[in-house]
Amino acid sequence: MKVQQSTQLINPFGGIQFVLKHIKEEGIDAFIDEQLGSRGAKKEYSISDGLLAIHYSHLCGGSCIEDINTLNEHIGFHPGLSSPSADTSLRVMQELKTENTIVENGDVIHTFNHHKKLNDLLQKLAIKTKTVACDAKNILDFDNVILDHEKYDAARTYKMTTGYQPALASIGRQVVFIEGRGGNTPAGYKMNETLAACFESLKNNGIHIEHFRSDSAAYQQSVVEVVEENRTDFYIRIDDSQNLRDAIKDIPETEWKETIINNKKVEVADTPFQPFGEKKTYRAVVQRRKRKDSQYDVFTQSAYAYYAIMTSNEKPEATPEWVTGFYNGRGDSERNFDILNNDFNCNRLPFSFLDANMVYLFAAAISFTLFEWTKKLFFCKGVIESTAIRCKKFLFDFIILPAKWIKTGRQWVYKIFTTRTCYKPLFE
C-alpha cells in the first residue's frame, strides 16, 4: 500500500460550522450569558463558550470533557468560534455550582442540590428554541434516575450500586427541571417539596401543565395535594395495598373490557378509589392479565396479575383504555435518561462531588435541548431526513464533513469536500 502524507489541516467535523452558524444567528450564546451572567471582563472565555464547547464535543462524538481538546486540534482555524480548552469548561462549571443542602433523618444523611438559575435557564431556553410551547396541553413526566459511579461522595442506592439519584422532569424530549440527590435518597423522600419547586418554576416561566405522570414513588397524599394545587390532572401508579385489593374485588366481571396494550391482550376497568385513608374519591384504572402459571392469588382470589393507576381525570373521553395507554406513554420520557447517558455522557461525570456534577448534568440537558432544536431546524430545510435520529447518526450523516477555511479575495470562504447535496440549503 502506497501512502502519501500531507501536513495540510482539514477539519474532519466540518458540519459543526453550520450548527455554530445557526447558534450565533439565533443569539443562543448571548442568551445563555444573559441568563447566567458574566465571568468578568478579564476572562477570555464566557460561560456560554464553556457550555457550548461541551455541546460541540457531544455532536462530534466526544465521550468525555477532555475530548474538547482533541476537537480543537482537528478544527484548526475557525472564524467566529471561540473554543476554550477542557480545563476552561471545567472551571466554568465549577463557578456555576451551588452549595448542597444536607438533611439529617435519624442516622441517615440525605444530600440535595437545588439550582434555581440553571433550571430557569433550561425552561427559558426551551421556550426560545420552541421545543416547549407555553400554552400547549403539556404533559409533565417526573422520575428519578440512578447515575452509577464511584465518585468521592457516591452513596449506595436501592439497587445496591453506588452513585446519585437525581430527579428529572420532562415535557416530551425537553428536560425542564433537575434536582440533585444523593444515591441513598429514595425517590419519594420530600418529593412534594421537589414538585412544588418544579411547578413554581414552570409557572414563573408561563409554561402550562395539563397532565402529570409519575410512578408509584408519587403515590403519596402530600404529592397529590401539590399536583392538585396546580390544577393538573394526574396519573400515578398505585402501590399494592389491601385498600386497592378491596376496590378491585368490587369491580363486576361484566365491566372488564378486552384490549390490546403493547401487543398483549389485557382487560381493563375502573372503579372509585379512596387512597390514604381519606374520604376524597379518585378513579383507579385497573389492568389485569392472566398469570402464566394460572395460579390463584391468595389476596384477590383470581388467576390474574393486576396493575392500577390512580387518576383525577373524570372526563368522558378518558376511558380506562385511554388512561392506560396514556400512562404507558411515560415510557418515552424514560428514554430521555438513556439519551442523556449515552449521547450526552451523563454516565461519565467529570467531577468528584455532587454540586459540580449537577452542573454537568444541566450542561448535558442544555446540549440535549440544542440538539433537538437543531434537528427540527435542519429537517424543515430538508437537510436531514428525520428528527428522531440520535447523536451518532447525526455525526455520521451530517457532522463528518472534510472542510477548511481559506482566504480568497480578501474574504474567508468555507470550502467543503463532498459529493453530498444535503448541505446546499444551509448556504444557498
Side-chain angles (χ1 to χ4, degrees), residues 12-16 19 59-60 394-402 423:
F13 304 113
I16 200 67
V19 177
L59 296 188
C60 293
F394 187 72
L395 169 65
F396 287 143
D397 289 357
F398 182 82
I399 295 294
I400 295 178
L401 170 69
Y423 300 96

Side-chain angles (χ1 to χ4, degrees), residues 355-419:
D355 52 0
N357 279 323
M358 283 305 104
V359 177
Y360 179 75
L361 191 56
F362 277 103
I366 290 167
S367 189
F368 191 2
T369 298
L370 294 176
F371 180 51
E372 292 298 307
W373 167 68
T374 300
K375 287 190 297 180
K376 289 179 182 177
L377 191 66
F378 287 179
F379 177 74
C380 290
K381 291 177 179 287
V383 176
I384 59 175
E385 297 179 353
S386 170
T387 58
I389 61 175
R390 298 277 292 264
C391 265
K392 189 173 183 180
K393 184 165 178 57
F394 187 72
L395 169 65
F396 287 143
D397 289 357
F398 182 82
I399 295 294
I400 295 178
L401 170 69
K404 70 174 296 186
W405 283 97
I406 59 174
K407 197 167 188 179
T408 178
R410 296 184 180 180
Q411 65 177 348
W412 287 104
V413 176
Y414 197 53
K415 186 175 183 180
I416 60 176
F417 304 85
T418 182
T419 58

Side-chain angles (χ1 to χ4, degrees), residues 248-261:
I248 292 172
K249 285 181 183 179
D250 290 339
I251 302 174
E253 280 297 316
T254 55
E255 290 191 12
W256 290 98
K257 296 180 182 178
E258 280 193 0
T259 187
I260 303 295
I261 296 177

Side-chain angles (χ1 to χ4, degrees), residues 141-396:
D141 289 305
F142 189 88
D143 209 345
N144 288 68
V145 57
I146 290 178
L147 296 178
D148 292 328
H149 59 75
E150 296 181 358
K151 301 296 182 181
Y152 185 83
D153 60 352
R156 189 165 295 279
T157 71
Y158 70 91
K159 290 187 176 181
M160 304 311 292
T161 58
T162 61
Y164 304 142
Q165 195 173 173
L168 276 78
S170 304
I171 298 174
R173 283 282 170 264
Q174 175 63 55
V175 178
V176 293
F177 185 86
I178 302 173
E179 178 191 68
R181 288 177 170 229
N184 66 326
T185 301
Y189 185 67
K190 291 188 177 293
M191 189 177 186
N192 60 319
E193 296 179 14
T194 302
L195 274 174
C198 177
F199 275 112
E200 182 183 5
S201 180
L202 291 167
K203 184 178 179 181
N204 290 341
N205 285 307
I207 300 175
H208 171 70
I209 302 297
E210 185 84 4
H211 305 282
F212 170 82
R213 298 185 296 202
S214 184
D215 59 15
S216 59
Y219 182 64
Q220 305 177 51
Q221 184 174 354
S222 59
V223 170
V224 170
E225 288 171 354
V226 168
V227 176
E228 289 192 309
E229 284 172 8
N230 290 275
R231 300 178 182 178
T232 303
D233 282 332
F234 64 80
Y235 310 80
I236 297 172
R237 173 80 180 272
I238 305 175
D239 278 335
D240 185 28
S241 65
Q242 187 60 50
N243 190 20
L244 176 61
R245 296 171 193 150
D246 291 341
I248 292 172
K249 285 181 183 179
D250 290 339
I251 302 174
E253 280 297 316
T254 55
E255 290 191 12
W256 290 98
K257 296 180 182 178
E258 280 193 0
T259 187
I260 303 295
I261 296 177
N262 296 332
N263 299 318
K264 294 182 180 179
K265 186 184 290 185
V266 300
E267 294 177 79
V268 294
D270 63 354
T271 183
F273 183 61
Q274 295 178 332
F276 321 122
E278 297 294 316
K279 294 182 179 179
K280 190 165 184 178
T281 302
Y282 301 98
R283 290 175 66 200
V285 176
V286 186
Q287 171 187 326
R288 73 179 186 181
R289 183 180 300 156
K290 286 253 187 186
R291 293 169 60 103
K292 290 183 180 179
D293 56 11
S294 299
Q295 293 294 316
Y296 268 60
D297 186 275
V298 67
F299 299 107
T300 60
Q301 292 299 303
S302 67
Y304 291 94
Y306 292 90
Y307 172 101
I309 303 157
M310 184 173 73
T311 179
S312 58
N313 192 341
E314 300 283 353
K315 298 179 182 71
E317 60 270 23
T319 62
E321 296 93 332
W322 183 89
V323 170
T324 303
F326 180 76
Y327 180 81
N328 289 346
R330 68 182 292 271
D332 290 338
S333 75
E334 292 178 349
R335 187 165 169 248
N336 292 346
F337 305 148
D338 170 61
I339 294 173
L340 283 170
N341 272 336
N342 297 302
D343 290 19
F344 300 100
N345 303 328
C346 286
N347 55 358
R348 295 182 177 89
L349 298 173
F351 300 102
S352 297
F353 297 96
L354 176 66
D355 52 0
N357 279 323
M358 283 305 104
V359 177
Y360 179 75
L361 191 56
F362 277 103
I366 290 167
S367 189
F368 191 2
T369 298
L370 294 176
F371 180 51
E372 292 298 307
W373 167 68
T374 300
K375 287 190 297 180
K376 289 179 182 177
L377 191 66
F378 287 179
F379 177 74
C380 290
K381 291 177 179 287
V383 176
I384 59 175
E385 297 179 353
S386 170
T387 58
I389 61 175
R390 298 277 292 264
C391 265
K392 189 173 183 180
K393 184 165 178 57
F394 187 72
L395 169 65
F396 287 143

